[in-house]
Amino acid sequence: MEFKSNIMDARSVGRSLARITHEILEKNKGAENIVLLGIKRRGVPLAAVLSDNIKIFDGAEVPFGEIDITAYRDDIPRDKPKNSSEGSDIPFDLSDKTVILVDDVICSGRTVRAAIECVFANGRPRSVQLAVLVDRGHRELPIRPDFVGKNIPTSKTERIVVKVDSVDGETGVDIYSV
């Protein structure tokens, strides 16, 4: 991979997450009955930031957990039963909640499809919404995020790399040529 450019620095990522937080609160008329589920790996720290932001902006404690979609992916052979939630940490009931799935990048939509399957294997929420930091296009499934930090149209020969401080030691979004 060859570095092309930095698309977002730490400050612009922070501003995008703050805007997404306000959009979540506005769309849902506050934080009541909202839970956040970060899709492993980088969706988890992003969900934590959104939860912290909601507490700052709205004064509400919004629980967040993490889901591991490995057992629900359609592009790898399955060794585990379809309803496996191993690797997920959902420390609350999803019933009648508004679940907001959080991920770093959406491309084909297949990760989100797997995440939705994992959510329904763990309960029956009132609704499911999707927040992503970057939408790069190239959908293969009819899935559209409700909240987007930045739309970055890419070619199929490009790759978006999101870095978060807790995982990578720095925060930002870069684009690479493959």
Side-chain angles (χ1 to χ4, degrees):
M1 281 195 319
E2 181 181 329
F3 177 80
K4 277 182 89 169
S5 69
N6 176 261
I7 304 296
M8 299 173 81
D9 61 15
R11 290 186 68 198
S12 59
V13 168
R15 283 191 302 271
S16 289
L17 292 173
R19 182 176 39 76
I20 288 171
T21 304
H22 286 294
E23 290 174 359
I24 288 170
L25 292 169
E26 184 176 330
K27 179 175 183 159
N28 293 288
K29 297 175 177 63
E32 189 176 341
N33 286 322
I34 289 177
V35 297
L36 298 165
L37 288 178
I39 300 171
K40 282 188 172 178
R41 172 155 174 164
R42 286 171 182 78
V44 174
L46 297 176
V49 170
L50 293 176
S51 180
D52 291 344
N53 284 351
I54 289 171
K55 185 174 184 178
I56 292 166
F57 301 155
D58 199 59
E61 294 276 345
V62 174
F64 75 94
E66 51 191 63
I67 58 173
D68 182 351
I69 55 104
T70 305
Y72 299 90
R73 292 183 49 168
D74 63 2
D75 60 345
I76 58 173
R78 295 198 173 129
D79 296 47
K80 297 180 177 160
K82 190 170 177 79
N83 64 355
S84 172
S85 292
E86 187 177 311
S88 295
D89 180 18
I90 306 172
F92 42 80
D93 186 12
L94 299 178
S95 301
D96 205 34
K97 300 289 186 196
T98 297
V99 172
I100 300 176
L101 292 171
V102 183
D103 205 4
D104 57 348
V105 178
I106 184 169
C107 185
S108 68
R110 292 184 181 277
T111 296
V112 176
R113 183 216 47 87
I116 291 169
E117 221 176 301
C118 181
V119 165
F120 279 94
N122 285 281
R124 189 178 190 295
R126 176 186 314 146
S127 66
V128 178
Q129 298 171 6
L130 175 62
V132 298
L133 183 59
V134 175
D135 184 345
R136 62 171 291 199
H138 305 291
R139 226 58 101 242
E140 296 173 5
L141 299 172
I143 292 174
R144 183 183 55 117
D146 299 277
F147 313 103
V148 178
K150 189 169 183 80
N151 288 293
I152 303 174
T154 61
S155 75
K156 293 211 178 204
T157 62
E158 293 173 318
R159 183 163 176 221
I160 298 289
V161 175
V162 172
K163 297 173 287 190
V164 293
D165 191 54
S166 62
V167 176
D168 307 295
E170 63 180 310
T171 298
V173 179
D174 297 328
I175 188 165
Y176 288 84
S177 294
V178 179

